Amino acid sequence: MSHKRVAILISGGGSNMVALLDSMIGDHPARPCLVLSSEPEAAGLDKAAARGVPVAAVDHRPFRADRAAFEAELMKPLIAARPDIVCCAGFMRILTGDFVSRWQGRMLNIHPSLLPKYKGLNTHARALAAGDGEHGCSVHEVTAELDDGPILGQARVPVLNGDTPETLAARVLVQEHRLYPAVLRRFAMGDRTPIHWG
Ligand code: GRF
């Protein structure tokens, strides 16, 4: 059986990327074909290279507000890697509808909230400010609208007394590292049945 080829988009430390890379072994139906960063200095690039995964980076800064020009450059290594699936993992650039439409239906993202709650940034602080009793993370298909698209998995964690955004984020991140690999494995087998934990 030939493996599904998975490209992973990152911007930073790539802890979710590492979890995905380390899951694609043995009888897993997918293997990584590229780790691509919007930040040339992203620590995740070294972690990927250390695991023998091809890496590339396109610095978004020279393109300033010209999102289309940045994405045209980003597309080059991505197309060259011939991915079947593209996983965004801590990728911090908003992608235009044109870019997403090229990969729609095979592009995933992990977001640190129980979508549709708290799209966008600072999700942990917002959940605390709202007094939520629980929080969590979601893996969803990427569509043109930010942090929208069909949910493929969610994991819930309790909000504890005395939680700060940092302690809550750390609790959620543990679940992200479990959920994303589980969803990718299922997605790579053609199964889009959502996973719900906690
Ligand atoms: C995590 O909160 C993740 O949910 C979000 O970016 C943060 C860092 O992720 N996408 P990573 O450690 O770079 O994978």
Side-chain angles (χ1 to χ4, degrees):
M1 167 198 73
S2 67
H3 293 108
K4 294 281 192 213
R5 298 168 61 87
V6 174
I8 305 174
L9 301 184
I10 66 169
S11 298
S15 72
N16 276 290
M17 172 215 49
V18 168
L20 292 175
L21 294 184
D22 291 349
S23 74
M24 287 186 266
I25 56 174
D27 65 350
H28 193 296
R31 289 297 185 276
C33 63
L34 176 69
V35 169
L36 176 55
S37 175
S38 60
E39 295 282 352
E41 305 305 314
L45 290 170
D46 294 338
K47 298 171 190 171
R51 287 165 171 79
V53 179
V55 296
V58 176
D59 188 349
H60 66 88
R61 289 176 187 77
F63 300 95
R64 305 174 74 83
D66 190 345
R67 213 178 280 278
F70 166 63
E71 290 180 351
E73 278 307 303
L74 199 70
M75 198 62 96
K76 291 174 183 173
L78 194 53
I79 289 175
R82 297 181 289 110
D84 300 298
I85 300 168
V86 181
C87 290
C88 299
F91 186 71
M92 301 308 279
R93 308 304 299 169
I94 292 177
L95 294 167
T96 66
D98 285 349
F99 185 95
V100 169
S101 63
R102 177 73 191 261
W103 307 100
Q104 188 142 353
R106 52 201 181 118
M107 179 178 261
L108 311 182
N109 181 47
I110 189 154
H111 180 75
S113 79
L114 295 175
L115 291 172
K117 295 182 79 169
Y118 310 129
K119 298 178 180 179
L121 300 174
N122 304 316
T123 63
H124 313 298
R126 290 157 66 191
L128 288 172
D132 292 355
E134 63 176 13
H135 188 42
C137 52
S138 306
V139 178
H140 64 96
E141 287 189 40
V142 175
T143 58
E145 186 179 337
L146 181 68
D147 298 331
D148 202 69
I151 299 288
L152 293 170
Q154 286 196 319
R156 295 168 188 276
V157 301
V159 176
L160 303 178
N161 289 333
D163 261 335
T164 64
E166 293 69 29
T167 59
L168 186 52
R171 190 171 312 123
V172 170
L173 200 58
V174 169
Q175 298 308 318
E176 293 180 37
H177 297 163
R178 295 177 59 232
L179 181 67
Y180 212 169
V183 170
L184 175 59
R185 184 186 182 101
R186 185 176 283 202
F187 191 82
M189 296 171 79
D191 181 354
R192 294 179 188 216
T193 313
I195 294 174
H196 289 282
W197 288 337

